[in-house]
Every structure is written in C-alpha cells, then in structure tokens.
Amino acid sequence: MIDSAQFKLRPLAEHDLELVLAWRNSERVRANMYTDHVISLDEHRRWFERLRDHPTPEKYLIFESAERPLGFVSFTRFNVASDLCYWAFYLGETEVPRGTGAIMEFMAIEYALRELKLRKLCCEVFVFNAPVIKLHHRFGFIEEGRLKEHMLKAGKYEDIVSLALFERDWENIRPSLYKLCFR
C-alpha cells in the first residue's frame, strides 16, 4: 500500500535552486525541453529572482516523497478568462520506485484542477517523447493537435504534440487513477 500522505507538492524555494539546476541540466531532462542549453547558476538565479521580484500567476513546485525532493512541476501561460494554463514536469531523481512519475502526474493534475480551479490543463510534448505522451493519455489527456516541424532539436525540426485534460473528464477517471497510484 502506497500512502498518499507521504507525497506533496510545495513551492520552489531558494534553497532548491542548485538541486533543480542539476536536474534541469542533466542530459535526460534537457533532451525533452524546448531550451536545451546548459544553464549556468547565474542564469538560474536571475530566473528565480525575476519570479520573486515580479509576482505572476505562474507556479513552480517541488514534488516530494517523505520530504525528499524528487521532481519539478510548473504551471505557466495562464489564461484567466478561459480558466486554463500549460504545465510541465520532470522527475529529477532517477532512483525512485516504479510508478513515481504517475503519482507526480496525479498530484499535479489535482493541484491544477482543485487548487488553481482550472477548467482545462494543457501541455506540449515532443513527439519522440512517447513514454510521456502515453502517460498523459493514461491520465485522460486528449491529443488536440500537432505542431509540425515546430522546434529545432539536435539539428532537426521536431513535431510537438498538443494535449489537454478537461476538469469534467478528470472527475470521471480520478477514482480509478487514484487506486492505480496509491494501491
């Protein structure tokens, strides 16, 4: 039995910056990001200072298990009039139990739809990132379209899959996904 109480999302704090930077600069994470250059500590700190000094609706969170940071979740590009935003996530740690990514996705969706009270949660994924696309489908996301040859990646223009989850659909599948994650 996996206890859901051992997992949480909490706001990104200054003391997290070096750990998040190490995760973000890992080849495994950078390979699936729009911007894939190695980020310097100064650049990372300037980004964080902009967030702190100019409050926005954007949310940047740390995913934890038993108070151990495991990953990063962001909610950006808010459209308040339409009750939607875009989200992204990654597990920073690699030595985690099987199913941790699914738990992270479940908690992020819960946060977006319950805490942020969104109607629609959107994301974009490189077409070559099939495991994440499959995970999103499992959690009720539907493919809304493809952006053909949209981003230059390693010298090649790659397609982007646009996905979305509606709050009304989440309510129907949430119980079975809760059981899947916290069996």
Side-chain angles (χ1 to χ4, degrees):
M1 176 93 172
I2 299 172
D3 181 8
S4 63
Q6 79 179 16
F7 299 96
K8 73 177 182 180
L9 292 172
R10 64 163 175 81
L12 173 70
E14 189 166 2
H15 69 266
D16 297 312
L17 289 181
E18 289 187 27
L19 177 61
V20 171
L21 180 62
W23 291 342
R24 178 62 176 78
N25 278 339
S26 72
E27 178 58 33
R28 178 182 54 81
V29 172
R30 283 187 304 115
N32 295 296
M33 305 296 273
Y34 281 174
T35 56
D36 58 5
H37 70 282
V38 174
I39 299 168
S40 71
L41 182 57
D42 284 343
E43 180 182 357
H44 194 57
R45 286 195 184 283
R46 284 192 306 273
W47 166 78
F48 184 75
E49 288 168 10
R50 280 192 307 273
L51 297 177
R52 189 179 53 205
D53 295 342
H54 303 287
T56 68
E58 295 177 349
K59 303 287 183 193
Y60 298 95
L61 308 169
I62 298 295
F63 171 68
E64 292 183 337
S65 172
E67 300 191 23
R68 176 185 169 216
L70 300 178
F72 180 79
V73 179
S74 65
F75 297 98
T76 61
R77 297 165 51 189
F78 280 82
N79 183 319
V80 176
S82 297
D83 291 328
L84 66 81
C85 81
Y86 283 75
W87 83 294
F89 78 120
Y90 55 83
L91 276 171
E93 298 299 320
T94 56
E95 299 296 320
V96 296
R98 184 171 167 83
T100 302
I103 292 169
M104 186 176 179
E105 178 137 350
F106 183 91
M107 295 192 66
I109 293 168
E110 284 283 282
Y111 182 89
L113 302 180
R114 301 218 190 276
E115 298 293 320
L116 300 177
K117 300 191 184 319
L118 297 174
R119 176 189 63 85
K120 182 178 180 180
L121 185 58
C122 307
C123 62
E124 295 173 343
V125 182
F126 279 105
V127 73
F128 58 73
N129 196 349
V132 169
I133 293 169
K134 182 178 177 181
L135 180 65
H136 288 332
H137 283 151
R138 187 178 199 185
F139 276 79
F141 282 82
I142 56 170
E143 188 172 319
E144 293 193 313
R146 288 190 183 221
L147 303 170
K148 303 300 275 178
E149 299 179 16
H150 192 67
M151 295 296 294
L152 183 63
K153 194 77 164 164
K156 179 182 174 200
Y157 287 99
E158 297 286 353
D159 292 358
I160 300 296
V161 178
S162 178
L163 299 144
L165 173 66
F166 288 89
E167 189 271 340
R168 65 178 176 261
D169 297 331
W170 177 247
E171 292 308 314
N172 294 327
I173 62 172
R174 183 192 182 280
S176 62
L177 290 167
Y178 183 88
K179 288 179 187 172
L180 175 77
C181 289
F182 305 108
R183 57 198 176 282

